[in-house]
């Protein structure tokens, strides 16, 4: 077209005219249009100055009094919206109606109401919905009048309900600050409080590494052991037989009728012979269906049994018979604990090991056989009260053994203690020298002070010859630590004059505590030369062989020198051979070493049971025997519990009682429920 009109012009002029035409068309296409009524077009005014307190008629902006002149922003949205709806923005009636609607929408949007489902604050969502409704009301000219009135009425009612609830809450709290300001101030106060508590806890545990480790492990969520339960040890509750006879009979008749029938079948001589003859011809022709206790004396039990006889044609006939069953080996019972022992012995002879645990937990007699709840022995170090429970348990066993002359004569004075929770297990890296020496100190004080006997605590020295001389790692430096412990033996202290040896200060070489020749506790090593005539009891801490050297020679010589009249106590010994080159602990002399290790009688045993060999976690159960309570070995199964407040606890429930240390296979079968 340009070329047609300007034929005589050059190509440069034609291209210039074309560019001008395109530029004008683009400017017209993208220019903002001012639609609506003439009043709306009048509102697009440039910014202008206002005096103090003056109101702009275009945007209703009122200038403040803090400045002489304010600048109006020109176009204002509310006035434009009124103009687009066909209303005059300069009329007071139209301006008042729009102001009322805008305030109701603003109040509904700014109110903070929790969501009905999630119970969380949805202020942003409500503000967004309110803004969308206001825009729809302003720009949607096709909305029917009836719907608009209904919507406005609903929004007004919602805003009033929110305002009423907020006012009632603030009146109840006696706080008439705006709801939003009140919530923000509360959040700030809560944040500051939590921050101070956190800083205080960190500051308190900053210098204690144990507290920090326990906090990281979540130990505060564990239930703590009951201090009173730690005191139920030994046979403290000696209830006479006459007082508990009726309760025991009721317990047995309610829970163990089949076990009573098995006891009669096994230990009543006439019944056993009759059953053997009858069942030899036809198996099952003679059996005892059940039994009920009629009487309990100090030497026997009277049981009423239901005998079932089956003839050749399978017809059964029942009859009741009263039978007397004596306790094993002519033993007697005078109290609740001895009665439970007699019943357990009868059940063990019938291979009814699971029923023995029920008899042990019978609600009569002492509870020294039990293990307290919530010990959490894989927590290193244990609480002081838990360690003291072990110390008292071991000391009771030692005292009872030393007071039993028949027992000492039967074992030639050779005793052994096996107490291996993680802190006392020399095969674990959790072994603590301090815990071991604390237990040894309690035993020495119990024997020396309470029983009035002279004790010598011995720790083996170096083994081997020449350049191969050495000693086990766990025993290295233990003698020095033992001497520097607080024995309360200084002048004016509780056990003044207890120690026989002089305690030397290793740094200065001076005598820190002077020895007393009339004392009760001495220190020494393992060997024949350490035995003195004044010594009554020898306590040897964890004797063990090492690769290339055996502890058998010095230990056996020391025991032989002590003789059967004096007592030698081994604590956590490891006397197994460790074969090495040079014909050390090989086949030669092995039978003598095994016989020597087996000659020591165990008076206390406690060890945890794991799924593996020596791992500390998870603990499956425990095996315990204490001569102060009973000569039986009790197998416990560990069970975990959780309280409603998500705190973790544990308990050890007895599942079987054995007359001697059970084999690994028997323990596994009992733990698996076989």
């Amino acid at each position: 077209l340009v070329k047609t009109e300007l034929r005589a012009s050059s190509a440069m002029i034609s291209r210039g005219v074309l560019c001008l035409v395109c530029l004008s068309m683009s400017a017209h296409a993208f220019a903002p249009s001012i639609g609506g009524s003439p009043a709306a077009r009048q509102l697009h005014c440039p910014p202008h100055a206002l005096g103090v307190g003056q109101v702009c008629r275009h945007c209703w902006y009122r200038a403040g009094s803090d400045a002489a002149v304010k600048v109006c922003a020109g176009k204002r949205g509310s006035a434009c919206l009124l103009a687009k709806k066909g209303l005059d923005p300069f009329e007071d009636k139209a301006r008042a109606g729009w102001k009322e609607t805008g305030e109701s929408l603003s109040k509904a949007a700014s109110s903070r109401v929790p969501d009905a489902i999630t119970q969380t604050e949805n202020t942003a969502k409500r503000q967004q919905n309110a803004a969308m409704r206001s825009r729809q009301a302003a720009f949607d000219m096709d909305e029917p009048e009836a719907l608009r009135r209904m919507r406005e009425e609903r929004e007004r009612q919602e805003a009033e309900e929110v305002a009423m609830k907020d006012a009632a809450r603030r009146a109840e709290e006696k706080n008439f600050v705006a709801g939003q300001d009140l919530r923000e101030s509360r959040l700030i106060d809560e944040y500051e409080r939590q921050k101070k508590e956190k800083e205080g806890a960190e500051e308190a545990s900053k210098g204690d590494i144990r507290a920090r480790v326990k906090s990281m492990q979540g130990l505060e969520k564990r239930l703590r052991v009951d201090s009173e339960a730690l005191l139920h040890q030994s046979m403290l509750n000696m209830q006479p037989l006459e007082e508990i006879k009726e309760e025991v009979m009721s317990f047995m008749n309610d829970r163990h009728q089949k076990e009573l029938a098995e006891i009669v079948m096994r230990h009543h001589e006439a019944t056993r012979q009759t059953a053997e003859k009858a069942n030899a011809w036809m198996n099952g022709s003679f059996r005892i269906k059940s039994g009920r206790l009629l009487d309990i004396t100090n030497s026997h039990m009277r049981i009423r049994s239901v005998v079932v006889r089956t003839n050749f044609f399978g017809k059964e006939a029942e009859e009741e018979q009263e039978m007397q069953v004596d306790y094993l080996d002519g033993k007697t019972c005078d109290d609740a604990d001895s009665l439970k022992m007699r019943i357990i012995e009868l059940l063990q002879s019938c291979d009814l090991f699971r029923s023995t645990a029920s008899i042990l937990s019978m609600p009569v007699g002492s509870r020294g056989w039990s293990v307290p709840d919530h010990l959490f022995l894989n927590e290193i170090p244990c609480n002081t009260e838990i360690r003291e429970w072990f110390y008292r348990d071991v000391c009771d066993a030692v005292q009872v053994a030393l007071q039993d002359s028949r027992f000492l004569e039967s074992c030639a004075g050779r005793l052994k203690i096996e107490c291996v929770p993680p802190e006392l297990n020399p095969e674990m890296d959790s072994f603590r020298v301090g815990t071991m020496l604390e237990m040894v100190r309690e035993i020495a004080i119990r024997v020396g002070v309470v029983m009035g006997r002279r004790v010598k605590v011995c720790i083996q020295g170096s083994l081997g010859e020449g350049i191969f001389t050495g000693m086990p790692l766990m025993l290295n430096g233990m003698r020095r630590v033992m001497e520097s412990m607080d024995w309360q033996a200084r002048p004016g202290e509780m056990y003044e004059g207890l120690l026989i040896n002089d305690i030397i200060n290793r740094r200065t070489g001076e005598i820190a505590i002077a020895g007393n020749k009339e004392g009760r506790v001495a220190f020494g090593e393992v060997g024949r030369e350490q035995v003195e005539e004044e010594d009554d009891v020898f306590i040897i801490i964890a004797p063990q062989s090492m690769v290339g050297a055996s502890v058998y020679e010095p230990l056996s010589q020391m025991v032989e020198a002590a003789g059967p009249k004096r007592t030698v106590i081994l604590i956590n010994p490891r006397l197994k051979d460790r074969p090495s080159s040079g014909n050390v602990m090989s086949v030669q002399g092995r039978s003598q070493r095994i016989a020597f290790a087996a000659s020591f009688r165990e008076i206390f045993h406690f060890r945890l049971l794991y799924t593996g060999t020596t791992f500390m976690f998870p603990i499956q159960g425990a095996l315990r025997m204490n001569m102060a309570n009973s000569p039986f070995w009790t197998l416990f199964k560990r069970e975990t519990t959780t309280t409603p407040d998500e705190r973790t606890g544990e308990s050890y429930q007895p599942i079987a009682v054995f007359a001697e240390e059970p084999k690994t296979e028997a323990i596994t079968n009992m733990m698996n429920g076989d």
Side-chain angles (χ1 to χ4, degrees):
L1 177 63
V2 174
K3 282 186 178 182
T4 304
E5 293 179 357
L6 302 173
R7 294 178 179 176
S9 302
S10 62
M12 183 65 69
I13 296 176
S14 301
R15 283 193 291 269
V17 174
L18 181 59
C19 291
L20 291 175
V21 173
C22 293
L23 183 60
S24 61
M25 293 174 63
S26 300
H28 178 74
F30 293 101
S33 61
I34 305 175
S37 61
R41 287 192 291 270
Q42 293 176 5
L43 290 173
H44 290 268
C45 58
H48 53 277
L50 295 174
V52 176
Q54 186 178 0
V55 180
C56 177
R57 294 192 60 190
H58 299 284
C59 60
W60 309 333
Y61 177 77
R62 181 183 296 275
S65 59
D66 55 344
V69 177
K70 288 290 184 179
V71 178
C72 174
K75 184 180 69 171
R76 286 295 179 183
S78 57
C80 292
L81 295 178
L82 286 174
K84 287 186 177 182
K85 292 179 68 66
L87 301 175
D88 187 0
F90 305 112
E91 290 185 4
D92 295 338
K93 182 178 181 180
R95 194 161 57 246
W98 173 255
K99 182 178 181 182
E100 179 181 356
T101 304
E103 285 182 353
S104 63
L105 293 176
S106 176
K107 183 182 293 184
S110 62
S111 62
R112 295 173 178 262
V113 182
D115 189 79
I117 299 177
T118 62
Q119 294 299 317
T120 57
E121 193 175 305
N122 56 359
T123 306
K125 184 177 180 181
R126 290 182 58 82
Q127 289 179 350
Q128 182 181 4
N129 294 340
M132 292 177 61
R133 288 195 297 269
S134 63
R135 287 196 298 269
Q136 180 182 359
F139 292 102
D140 191 0
M141 303 299 297
D142 298 332
E143 181 181 13
E145 184 67 18
L147 292 179
R148 184 183 63 79
R149 290 179 180 178
M150 291 173 61
R151 175 176 53 77
E152 291 178 354
E153 182 66 19
R154 184 175 64 254
E155 293 175 352
R156 184 184 63 78
Q157 292 178 358
E158 290 178 358
E160 289 179 356
E161 290 177 359
V162 171
M164 290 283 291
K165 290 180 181 179
D166 188 63
R169 180 186 57 78
R170 287 188 281 108
E172 185 177 359
E173 296 177 355
K174 297 182 180 181
N175 191 332
F176 299 98
V177 185
Q180 182 175 358
D181 297 339
L182 179 61
R183 277 185 291 271
E184 290 178 355
S185 61
R186 284 185 176 180
L187 289 175
I188 293 173
D189 294 342
E190 182 68 16
Y191 172 76
E192 294 293 338
R193 184 184 65 80
Q194 293 180 358
K195 184 178 179 181
K196 289 181 180 179
E197 290 181 356
K198 185 177 180 181
E199 292 177 353
E202 291 179 355
E203 194 68 26
S205 62
K206 188 174 182 181
D208 190 356
I209 186 62
R210 296 179 182 177
R212 296 176 61 185
V213 171
K214 290 183 179 181
S215 177
M216 290 187 293
Q217 293 176 346
L219 301 182
E220 65 276 0
K221 295 184 179 179
R222 291 180 175 178
L223 295 173
R224 309 315 303 171
V225 64
D226 186 6
S227 300
E228 187 176 354
L230 296 174
L231 301 178
H232 293 302
Q233 291 177 297
S234 302
M235 296 183 181
L236 304 177
N237 190 2
M238 308 295 288
Q239 295 174 295
L241 180 61
E242 296 299 328
E243 292 184 4
I244 52 91
K245 181 169 63 174
E246 296 296 332
E247 187 174 358
V248 173
M249 291 171 56
S250 176
F251 182 87
M252 295 294 295
N253 292 334
D254 291 342
R255 303 188 184 185
H256 299 288
Q257 293 187 15
K258 292 184 178 180
E259 287 81 356
L260 290 173
E262 186 67 24
I263 290 174
V264 171
M265 182 71 80
R266 183 72 64 91
H267 295 286
H268 190 262
E269 187 65 22
T271 303
R272 184 175 59 82
Q273 292 179 1
T274 303
E276 289 178 355
K277 293 179 181 180
N279 294 331
W281 173 256
M282 185 177 66
N283 189 21
S285 61
F286 184 94
R287 61 187 178 88
I288 298 180
K289 183 178 180 180
S290 62
R292 294 182 63 85
L293 274 176
L294 299 178
D295 189 21
I296 298 177
T297 66
N298 61 348
S299 60
H300 64 271
M301 297 186 300
R302 292 195 59 82
I303 303 174
R304 177 180 293 169
S305 304
V306 178
V307 179
V308 180
R309 299 176 184 269
T310 307
N311 60 15
F312 181 77
F313 300 99
K315 186 177 180 180
E316 296 182 350
E318 294 185 359
E319 62 175 330
E320 292 186 354
Q321 298 180 3
E322 292 186 8
M323 305 172 185
Q324 176 179 317
V325 177
D326 297 332
Y327 302 133
L328 296 183
D329 303 328
K331 297 179 180 179
T332 60
C333 60
D334 300 322
D335 52 31
D337 292 305
S338 59
L339 175 60
K340 291 199 295 185
M341 290 183 188
R342 302 292 86 83
I343 299 176
I344 289 174
E345 289 172 350
L346 290 172
L347 293 174
Q348 289 174 346
S349 64
C350 300
D351 296 332
L352 301 174
F353 295 104
R354 288 198 174 275
S355 301
T356 56
S358 177
I359 302 301
L360 193 65
S361 58
M362 193 184 303
V364 295
S366 63
R367 293 186 58 84
W369 55 267
S370 62
V371 175
D373 298 338
H374 318 311
L375 291 180
F376 292 106
L377 295 177
N378 55 358
E379 177 183 333
I380 306 297
C382 292
N383 292 338
T384 304
E385 54 188 2
I386 297 177
R387 296 201 302 268
E388 291 177 351
W389 176 76
F390 278 108
Y391 304 159
R392 290 193 302 269
D393 215 16
V394 174
C395 289
D396 291 344
V398 172
Q399 183 174 354
V400 171
L402 293 179
Q403 291 174 347
D404 192 344
S405 58
R406 288 186 179 181
F407 177 76
L408 293 176
E409 186 178 353
S410 64
C411 62
R414 302 181 181 186
L415 307 179
K416 181 174 67 172
I417 296 173
E418 188 76 12
C419 183
V420 285
E423 288 190 42
L424 296 174
N425 194 341
E427 298 178 358
M428 288 186 175
D429 55 0
S430 58
F431 175 79
R432 298 181 72 240
V433 175
T435 305
M436 172 65 79
L437 294 179
E438 283 180 355
M439 185 176 69
V440 172
R441 180 179 60 186
E442 295 298 323
I443 297 173
I445 292 176
R446 176 76 68 92
V447 176
V449 177
V450 178
M451 303 186 68
R453 303 188 184 185
R454 176 164 167 159
V455 185
K456 176 167 285 188
V457 182
C458 303
I459 301 175
Q460 71 183 57
S462 300
L463 301 175
E465 297 178 357
I467 62 173
F468 299 103
T469 301
M471 65 187 309
L473 181 61
M474 62 159 291
L475 300 176
N476 189 17
M478 185 179 289
R479 171 70 180 270
R480 182 181 303 177
V481 177
M482 180 175 62
E483 293 179 354
S484 61
M485 289 179 65
D486 184 11
W487 287 84
Q488 293 288 307
R490 293 182 175 86
E493 294 183 336
M494 182 181 297
Y495 304 118
E496 179 182 355
L498 176 67
L499 302 180
I500 298 174
N501 303 72
D502 292 335
I503 304 301
I504 308 299
N505 190 325
R506 300 283 180 172
R507 290 178 295 180
T508 62
E510 299 177 353
I511 298 177
I513 303 177
N516 179 20
K517 294 183 179 181
E518 303 298 329
R520 295 295 183 182
V521 179
F523 305 134
E525 297 183 355
V526 176
R528 180 189 297 272
E529 65 280 358
Q530 299 292 324
V531 179
E532 298 177 0
E533 290 186 7
E534 296 83 3
D535 298 331
D536 298 321
V537 179
F538 300 91
I539 300 176
I540 304 176
I541 303 176
Q544 54 190 288
S545 300
M546 54 184 295
V547 177
S550 174
V551 75
Y552 168 71
E553 287 78 10
L555 182 59
S556 61
Q557 293 173 4
M558 182 176 183
V559 173
E560 183 180 355
K565 300 298 182 180
R566 292 186 281 190
T567 305
V568 178
I569 304 175
L570 307 184
I571 299 179
N572 294 349
R574 296 294 179 266
L575 302 180
K576 292 183 179 180
D577 289 344
R578 295 189 176 183
S580 59
S581 60
N583 199 25
V584 178
M585 288 179 287
S586 60
V587 178
Q588 183 179 1
R590 179 171 297 175
S591 58
Q592 290 84 354
R593 293 191 294 271
I594 295 176
F596 173 76
S599 65
F600 289 86
R601 187 76 62 85
E602 202 152 13
I603 61 175
F604 181 88
H605 185 99
F606 183 91
R607 78 172 188 264
L608 298 176
L609 305 177
Y610 308 97
T611 53
T613 54
T614 57
F615 297 101
M616 290 178 55
F617 185 85
I619 299 174
Q620 299 295 330
L623 182 64
R624 180 174 181 264
M625 189 276 294
N626 187 351
M627 186 178 177
N629 301 316
S630 70
F632 299 132
W633 297 68
T634 307
L635 179 63
F636 296 89
K637 187 173 184 178
R638 178 179 178 267
E639 297 180 357
T640 58
T641 58
T642 304
T643 60
D645 57 349
E646 297 183 354
R647 299 183 67 188
T648 306
E650 68 173 11
S651 62
Y652 289 87
Q653 302 298 329
I655 60 176
V657 180
F658 301 90
E660 58 185 10
E661 184 177 1
K663 303 297 183 182
T664 304
E665 183 179 359
I667 294 176
T668 303
N669 293 336
M670 287 295 172
M671 296 293 289
N672 295 334
D674 298 339

